[in-house]
């Protein structure tokens, strides 16, 4: 081939959209067509003479070299894909067709930029993954972990968090927060001036870069720019408005966010918002099914499950456990005199006092009517159990203020102990109920231990 023919072929190759690359046996570019500027961001002069592998994304270098060995062995590689790092630092996905010419001692390859195709595939896969996570995740926390992994497959997401807004309580919380430098913030009102709050308030995505001017309302307080911080947040939009925000942030110049990253995060945010709504609804339905609607205490179903589990734990660990059966004396009189609304208020306040009195020692549930069950599963000695019961009796005997009226009632409390009074939860409940009835028939406002006195531990 003469010089004229070579110049003609070069000019033809330079017209191609795909990039033609020729690499010698040492792995260096000896020819690159003009399309390399569009594909890789470099001019041919900047690539010729340089090792091909230096342009490959670090995570793809090992498998790229393995494919090169296959080509040297005569294997055809018509659709090999890997990633290169463009001159501007961005990543480009390349599909190669390559052959080895032993006569010329070079590899000839055609490089096609498939970044947009890979982006579309990744986005579609992300939607499917979020949808699957919405159905398989056990709870919101598990869903957020899945979402973090999915977002991390689309863009750098080492520092990632989810903020949720409870409109009824006007509270912004941070149920999932993974950050290299900070712990999760405490819940705060929407007017706290945070960037997350501003995204929710405005319903608009926000990309802040340390090297760009900021145009934010005066109410926003921020610390952007420290350690070259980039902050990217998109709202979780629903038909009722934003319910939260997805946020990624960077503390180093190694990761810089762009408008394209914003588009990617926005693309999955609607699906994520739908998944969160579904999980929240599931949680509300489970809560309603297992809690008393008046007092929000565990109902009979949940209470019995907890007692069964606590009893099995007590058996396995050879621990003590106690059940307290609580019934309000003169509750009917309160209903008759002040009405059922006052009676409901009395039950609600009773639940509050019982919760406060038990604290971390156990749990409280409502069986029905004015009857409550207290589970003490913290391995309390008999003396401590009796002291807790007496403290509950004292607190419940203090006057209640119901719609402006001071009302005084008292409780009758029966106690059953494991293992002293039984090995099965039905037996323990029955013993505690009988002890409560004995306390009530003895005049009420007292504590009774099932079967009479039990020897101290």
């Amino acid at each position: 081939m003469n010089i004229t023919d070579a110049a003609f072929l070069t000019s033809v190759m330079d017209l191609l959209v795909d990039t033609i690359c020729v690499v010698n046996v040492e792995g260096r570019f000896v020819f690159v067509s003009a399309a390399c500027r569009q594909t890789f961001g470099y001019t041919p002069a900047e690539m010729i003479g340089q090792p091909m592998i230096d342009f490959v994304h670090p995570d793809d270098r090992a498998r790229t070299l393995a494919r090169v060995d296959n080509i040297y062995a005569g294997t055809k590689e018509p659709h090999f894909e890997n990633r290169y790092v463009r001159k501007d630092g961005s990543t480009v996905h390349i599909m190669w067709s390559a052959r080895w010419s032993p006569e010329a001692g070079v590899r000839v390859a055609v490089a096609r930029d498939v970044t947009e195709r890979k982006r579309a595939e990744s986005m579609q896969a992300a939607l499917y993954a979020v949808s699957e996570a919405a159905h398989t995740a056990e709870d919101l926390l598990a869903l957020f972990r899945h979402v973090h992994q999915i977002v991390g497959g689309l863009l750098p997401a080492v520092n990632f968090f989810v903020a949720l807004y409870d409109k009824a309580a006007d509270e912004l919380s941070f149920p999932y927060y993974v950050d290299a430098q900070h712990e999760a913030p405490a819940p705060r009102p929407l007017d706290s001036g945070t960037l997350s709050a501003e995204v929710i308030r405005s319903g608009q995505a926000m990309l802040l870069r340390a090297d760009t001017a900021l145009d934010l309302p005066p109410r926003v307080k921020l610390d952007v720019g420290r350690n070259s911080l980039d902050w990217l947040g998109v709202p979780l939009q629903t038909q009722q408005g934003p319910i939260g925000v997805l946020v990624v942030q960077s503390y180093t110049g190694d990761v810089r966010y762009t408008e394209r990253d914003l588009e990617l995060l926005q693309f999955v945010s609607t699906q994520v918002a739908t998944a969160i709504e579904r999980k929240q609804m599931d949680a509300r339905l489970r809560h309603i099914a297992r809690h008393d609607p008046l007092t929000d205490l565990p109902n009979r179903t949940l209470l019995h499950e907890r007692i069964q589990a606590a009893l099995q734990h007590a058996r396995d660990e050879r621990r003590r456990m106690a059940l307290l059966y609580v019934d309000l004396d003169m509750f009917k009189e309160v209903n008759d005199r002040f009405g059922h609304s006052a009676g409901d208020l009395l039950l609600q306040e009773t639940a509050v006092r019982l919760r406060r009195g038990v604290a971390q020692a156990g749990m409280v549930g409502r069986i029905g009517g004015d009857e409550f069950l207290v589970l003490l599963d913290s391995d309390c000695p008999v003396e401590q159990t009796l002291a807790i019961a007496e403290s509950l009796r004292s607190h419940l005997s203090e006057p209640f203020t119901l719609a402006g009226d001071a009302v005084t009632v008292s409780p009758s409390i029966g106690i059953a102990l494991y293992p002293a009074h039984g090995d099965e939860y039905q037996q323990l409940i029955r013993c505690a109920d009988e002890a409560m009835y004995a306390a009530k028939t003895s005049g009420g406002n007292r504590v009774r231990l099932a079967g009479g006195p039990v020897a101290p531990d």
Side-chain angles (χ1 to χ4, degrees), residues 224-235:
V224 176
R226 180 187 55 186
N227 298 329
S228 299
L229 172 65
D230 281 5
W231 192 97
L232 171 57
V234 300

Side-chain angles (χ1 to χ4, degrees), residues 138-452:
E138 295 180 0
D139 50 30
L140 272 178
L141 183 58
L143 173 64
F144 295 149
R145 291 195 185 102
H146 283 300
V147 170
H148 188 180
Q149 293 175 349
I150 294 164
V151 170
L154 297 174
L155 54 95
V158 174
N159 303 297
F160 172 86
F161 69 84
V162 180
L164 294 181
Y165 178 56
D166 184 340
K167 188 174 182 179
D170 187 35
E171 183 177 83
L172 184 64
S173 62
F174 302 85
Y176 186 82
Y177 200 94
V178 177
D179 191 271
Q181 297 194 11
H182 303 288
E183 298 294 330
R188 58 195 59 186
L190 192 63
D191 64 358
S192 57
T194 64
L195 291 172
S196 302
E198 188 60 26
V199 170
I200 295 171
R201 184 193 297 274
S202 67
Q204 300 296 317
M206 185 182 297
L207 171 59
L208 301 181
R209 292 172 56 93
D211 54 1
T212 58
L214 304 177
D215 183 17
L216 296 171
R219 62 176 172 266
V220 178
K221 310 164 189 173
L222 69 156
D223 183 16
V224 176
R226 180 187 55 186
N227 298 329
S228 299
L229 172 65
D230 281 5
W231 192 97
L232 171 57
V234 300
L236 293 165
Q237 292 281 9
T238 69
Q239 292 183 346
Q240 288 71 42
I243 61 168
V245 57
L246 294 181
V247 176
V248 291
Q249 51 189 340
S250 170
Y251 296 101
T252 70
D254 295 338
V255 174
R256 308 307 305 273
Y257 293 113
T258 66
E259 292 293 336
R260 172 156 291 193
D261 295 319
L262 186 149
E263 292 174 5
L264 288 171
L265 199 57
Q266 278 187 309
F267 182 78
V268 299
S269 65
T270 301
Q271 189 84 355
V272 172
T274 301
I276 291 173
E277 275 195 313
R278 183 180 296 124
K279 281 299 175 187
Q280 288 176 328
M281 178 59 71
D282 290 345
R284 281 195 292 269
L285 292 175
R286 285 196 301 270
H287 186 88
I288 290 171
R290 297 156 67 85
H291 287 78
D292 171 52
L294 180 63
T295 62
D296 201 40
L297 290 175
N299 61 16
R300 185 187 296 267
T301 299
L302 178 56
L303 193 57
H304 285 189
E305 289 178 6
R306 296 281 179 85
I307 293 172
Q308 288 272 45
L311 189 57
Q312 186 59 53
H313 183 67
R315 292 191 192 104
D316 295 342
E317 301 295 326
R318 298 183 181 276
R319 293 162 56 95
R320 291 158 295 202
M321 192 187 89
L323 290 181
L324 279 59
Y325 207 116
V326 181
D327 181 275
L328 296 182
D329 305 324
M330 301 174 293
F331 178 72
K332 183 177 183 300
E333 287 81 350
V334 172
N335 265 340
D336 292 343
R337 180 180 176 186
F338 298 100
H340 290 286
S341 295
D344 289 346
L345 289 174
L346 175 59
L347 293 174
Q348 290 171 337
E349 183 58 29
T350 297
V352 171
R353 294 188 186 185
L354 285 173
R355 269 204 203 99
R356 189 182 303 132
V358 172
Q360 304 301 316
M363 67 169 292
V364 181
R366 184 185 178 202
I367 297 177
D370 61 336
E371 296 180 340
F372 300 84
L373 204 58
V374 177
L375 166 64
L376 300 179
D377 60 351
S378 56
D379 200 24
C380 296
V382 175
E383 294 86 349
Q384 186 177 350
T385 299
L386 291 170
I388 291 173
E390 182 58 33
S391 175
L392 293 176
R393 184 206 63 77
S394 176
H395 288 141
L396 294 179
S397 299
E398 296 173 359
F400 292 85
T401 301
L402 306 177
D405 294 311
V407 176
T408 301
V409 295
S410 59
S412 295
I413 302 177
I415 304 174
L417 305 173
Y418 169 83
H421 298 127
D423 187 63
E424 298 295 333
Y425 87 100
Q426 297 97 332
Q427 184 180 6
L428 291 173
I429 292 176
R430 184 173 64 253
C431 289
D433 185 16
E434 291 172 352
M436 179 277 295
Y437 183 74
K440 185 174 287 290
T441 56
S442 298
N445 195 23
R446 64 193 66 203
V447 174
R448 278 284 187 271
L449 196 61

